[in-house]
Amino acid sequence: MREPDNEDLGQWEDAEGWKEFRVDKDAAGERLDRWLSAMLGEAVSRSRVQTLIRAGAVSCGDAPVTEPKHKVASGETYGLEMPEAEPAEPLPEPIPLDILYEDADLVVVNKPAGLVVHPAPGNWTGTLVNALLHHCGDTLSGIGGVRRPGIVHRLDRDTSGVMVVAKTDRAHRALSEAFADHGRSGDLERAYEALVWGAPDRMAGSIDAHLGRHAQSRTLRAVVPAGRSDARHAVTHYQVKKRYGSDGRGGAFAALLECRLETGRTHQIRVHLAHIGHPLVGDQEYGRAFRTKINRLPEEVRPIVAAFGRQALHARLLAFRHPASGELMRFEAPPPADMTALTKAFEIL
């Protein structure tokens, strides 16, 4: 069984019952709790997994395995009896929303950086869902589950930009199908602005690389071999819009890209751009090794870049066909002030 993807927003994290996972060769020798946490994804904490293991909820074959430190072997199959989850129903909160469009079926918002989309461990309040419940009241669709009513796609906490939320079950189903298809046979279109270190050699290109769990973290993703059990096919198309400065070796010091998604995996743009050697400016997880580049910037630019506290990624464009009227809807949001100031700083180079 493959790891669920948070962008796909399936029913995994709300499901209970029996689940089975097979150990691939790359995971052989890992601790059971660490490996199982990675397979379950962000929905279940590692401490929760350890509790389930000690309670006898995990077995290999017909034998329960009650030691979290147990080492898994390639080819083994582990079963998990996931108990029924206690619903954590979010409460309405008067959080301001930047609404780009709204009707009886849906609402389109410009999500600010720093706002978590739906409640999860560590962020049970203060989310976009809490704000939407206050704004929409009983009209918000509940088909997406108790913790994320109306949500059909998501942006990372520190990614800003355009999102659509369903207000009816009909709209939720139609939009969910469109996002699952990623525009291959429909009219869904998504474009992101990304400020990266360095610049690709070509002005336009595609990154086709499978994504799976990160070896050192259950919350991060990495490029993995296509044959791995948790590998998910992922394709990102990019176009270089502007280059900034010179790195002294014939290349640019930074670049502004437009990225378009053919698939929608967790952290896809961030991982793919880091994979080709051009991580997002400000990305503390996937671009940490590039932080030293700040020291090579001019004195007037250095503090602006150093103070930018998130990945420089903005969902600029979202287009889709309206689930009720069939009209093609298109929404754009300019980058927020912090990212605009950042790109202006690089223009000095």
Side-chain angles (χ1 to χ4, degrees):
M1 181 177 295
R2 294 189 175 189
E3 182 180 354
D5 192 287
N6 289 338
E7 280 287 321
D8 293 336
L9 289 179
Q11 298 301 314
W12 174 270
E13 66 182 65
D14 296 315
E16 64 277 347
W18 182 256
K19 308 178 192 304
E20 289 188 349
F21 306 88
R22 186 178 179 83
V23 182
D24 62 36
K25 61 181 181 180
D26 294 324
E30 285 191 28
R31 284 174 50 129
L32 174 60
D33 59 343
R34 182 179 294 120
W35 170 77
L36 193 54
S37 293
M39 297 302 291
L40 289 168
E42 298 180 29
V44 184
S45 68
R46 186 172 170 188
S47 61
R48 175 61 171 155
V49 169
Q50 291 172 341
T51 299
L52 290 169
I53 293 172
R54 295 189 180 101
V58 178
S59 61
C60 182
D62 294 326
V65 183
T66 58
E67 177 51 62
K69 295 180 181 180
H70 172 82
K71 300 297 178 65
V72 301
S74 177
E76 290 181 331
T77 298
Y78 287 82
L80 168 64
E81 183 65 38
M82 181 67 76
E84 184 175 355
E86 292 290 333
E89 187 169 355
L91 298 175
E93 297 179 45
I95 301 169
L97 290 172
D98 182 4
I99 296 176
L100 304 179
Y101 174 84
E102 184 175 12
D103 61 24
D105 295 285
L106 54 86
V107 56
V108 179
V109 301
N110 181 18
K111 187 189 87 68
L115 183 65
V116 176
V117 171
H118 59 76
N123 293 285
W124 292 118
T125 61
T127 72
L128 177 62
V129 162
N130 297 108
L132 288 166
L133 287 170
H134 182 269
H135 175 76
C136 301
D138 295 336
T139 65
L140 194 63
S141 170
I143 195 171
V146 173
R147 285 186 291 167
R148 53 188 187 200
I151 302 298
V152 294
H153 70 122
R154 56 165 280 186
L155 297 174
D156 290 342
R157 179 188 64 188
D158 289 331
T159 297
S160 56
V162 187
M163 286 186 63
V164 60
V165 177
K167 294 171 65 176
T168 67
D169 290 351
R170 175 181 64 178
H172 194 285
R173 292 190 187 95
L175 290 169
S176 294
E177 289 174 1
F179 276 89
D181 183 65
H182 301 296
R184 297 185 188 95
S185 59
D187 298 299
L188 182 72
E189 184 181 3
R190 288 182 286 176
Y192 295 73
E193 285 193 5
L195 185 65
V196 303
W197 290 113
D201 294 332
R202 296 186 297 165
M203 292 299 291
S206 297
I207 307 167
D208 188 337
H210 285 69
L211 302 183
R213 66 182 182 275
H214 193 283
Q216 278 78 47
S217 172
R218 69 181 185 86
T219 61
L220 300 182
R221 297 295 180 267
V223 169
V224 300
R228 222 173 76 168
S229 62
D230 64 323
R232 307 292 300 274
H233 184 228
V235 180
T236 302
H237 306 287
Y238 69 84
Q239 183 175 1
V240 179
K241 309 298 289 185
K242 189 178 293 187
R243 295 171 182 262
Y244 302 103
S246 172
D247 62 3
R249 294 171 293 182
F253 204 91
L256 183 66
L257 310 185
E258 178 179 276
C259 296
R260 291 179 179 258
L261 298 179
E262 188 174 312
T263 57
R265 310 305 183 194
T266 300
H267 299 176
Q268 177 176 317
I269 292 175
R270 298 167 65 189
V271 178
H272 269 174
L273 292 178
H275 176 63
I276 64 170
H278 303 290
L280 292 165
V281 173
D283 195 328
Q284 298 301 311
E285 276 111 10
Y286 301 107
R288 187 173 299 176
F290 283 68
R291 288 283 294 176
T292 56
K293 282 185 171 290
I294 295 175
N295 299 327
R296 297 170 54 196
L297 292 169
E299 187 174 348
E300 64 269 33
V301 178
R302 198 179 307 150
I304 299 173
V305 180
F308 192 77
R310 65 181 182 94
Q311 65 265 9
L313 184 64
H314 174 70
R316 178 184 61 81
L317 166 69
L318 176 62
F320 56 89
R321 197 160 291 281
H322 194 284
S325 69
E327 178 186 359
L328 184 61
M329 314 288 286
R330 186 181 181 90
F331 301 96
E332 294 192 54
D338 65 338
M339 192 162 165
T340 299
L342 184 68
T343 54
K344 285 185 177 179
F346 274 99
E347 288 174 358
I348 300 174
L349 300 181

